[in-house]
Amino acid sequence: MSPRDNERLEYLGDAVLQLIAAEYLYKHHPGATEGELTQTRSAMVNTNTLAQLAEQLGLGAYLYLGKGIAKGGGRSLKSLLANAFEAVLGAVFLDAGYDAAYHYYLNRYRALPAPVRDENFKGRLQQVAQERFGATPVYDSEGAKVGNRREYTSVVFAGAEPLGTGHGASKQEAEQDAARAALESLTGSAIKPEKAARSRRSPRKKAQPAAPVVALMESPPAEVVPLPEPRSRQFGEPIE
């Protein structure tokens, strides 16, 4: 592995980030259920959030990239920026410890200019597909070169029938977009659940009802959680 590869630091940073978010939410949301905590944590650590934090630091300018991906806009690619921020957080943890990493992340999260939305469409779709079809979604993704960049297309299936198609600058973004499209289609027919089994054989008819798609997509999104002023703490101290 190249000494310039950040994958090991990304791995460490991801683990530290999950612990930071979980500890913070556990302490400051004592009445929240496990599902609510999980949804909010997802918003705090998802790719869009981490990419915004990386942009705050200007990390894109410091990425070591091949000429092709650099010319194709790789320095602004959300997945690469998110990975870079995880690597930085891992380095902070190694250099200064958990307490420093805790405040380093939370202070920057608090400074985000707009509420962070939970865009984990894949997670939502998995729950809906298992409840409705008894199947786990499967994604068929492939990339193609478009000019100087690559564009990915993903189709999501639950069984033999496609549920949605998505596009993105990365495989992950394309799969999220496909999951979003599938959710829009599925929630459009959710007002008539007794016909769900038949609608699987005619997916185009599910988009005909004009009713707003609100059953799932407009569920209250996880928002930026107001954070208290930083204070000194050490890893391993009892949680207040």
Side-chain angles (χ1 to χ4, degrees):
M1 182 173 62
S2 168
R4 297 183 180 183
D5 194 316
N6 292 323
E7 287 185 353
R8 286 172 59 84
L9 279 175
E10 291 168 17
Y11 166 81
L12 179 62
D14 175 66
V16 173
L17 179 62
Q18 295 290 336
L19 178 57
I20 290 171
E23 179 188 0
Y24 172 79
L25 293 173
Y26 183 85
K27 289 171 59 178
H28 294 280
H29 291 263
T33 65
E34 179 184 0
E36 292 169 341
L37 293 173
T38 299
Q39 183 181 12
T40 306
R41 183 181 62 182
S42 176
M44 294 177 70
V45 304
N46 67 22
T47 298
N48 287 336
T49 300
L50 300 185
Q52 289 185 60
L53 296 175
E55 289 170 351
Q56 286 182 342
L57 299 171
L59 292 183
Y62 297 95
L63 296 178
Y64 183 77
L65 303 174
K67 292 182 179 180
I69 191 171
K71 290 182 179 179
R75 297 190 186 281
S76 60
L77 192 63
K78 289 184 179 181
S79 58
L80 294 182
L81 289 173
N83 291 342
F85 184 83
E86 289 179 340
V88 169
L89 189 65
V92 171
F93 171 76
L94 288 176
D95 186 64
Y98 178 79
D99 187 54
Y102 182 90
H103 292 303
Y104 183 84
Y105 166 72
L106 290 175
N107 289 345
R108 282 157 181 77
Y109 179 77
R110 179 174 56 185
L112 288 175
V116 177
R117 302 287 182 174
D118 180 6
E119 297 188 3
N120 185 20
F121 298 122
K122 291 177 65 176
R124 298 185 197 179
L125 178 61
Q126 179 170 328
Q127 180 179 358
V128 172
Q130 288 177 341
E131 291 176 354
R132 185 169 300 189
F133 306 128
T136 299
V138 176
Y139 296 83
D140 184 5
S141 307
E142 60 180 32
K145 190 171 183 180
V146 180
N148 293 325
R149 60 186 178 82
R150 290 188 68 82
E151 181 173 308
Y152 289 81
T153 299
S154 180
V155 181
V156 59
F157 297 83
E161 297 297 328
L163 299 179
T165 301
H167 306 278
S170 69
K171 180 180 177 182
Q172 183 179 20
E173 288 182 10
E175 291 180 352
Q176 287 283 1
D177 192 43
R180 177 196 56 75
L183 283 168
E184 289 182 352
S185 178
L186 290 173
T187 54
S189 60
I191 55 176
K192 297 181 180 180
E194 70 276 3
K195 296 184 179 180
R198 287 184 301 221
S199 64
R200 292 178 62 192
R201 295 186 175 274
S202 55
R204 292 186 180 180
K205 293 183 180 180
K206 293 185 292 184
Q208 291 177 0
V213 180
V214 298
L216 182 64
M217 297 302 295
E218 293 186 2
S219 57
E223 298 182 352
V224 172
V225 181
L227 306 179
E229 291 299 320
R231 62 182 180 81
S232 177
R233 59 178 301 289
Q234 295 295 328
F235 179 63
E237 291 182 350
I239 297 174
E240 298 177 355

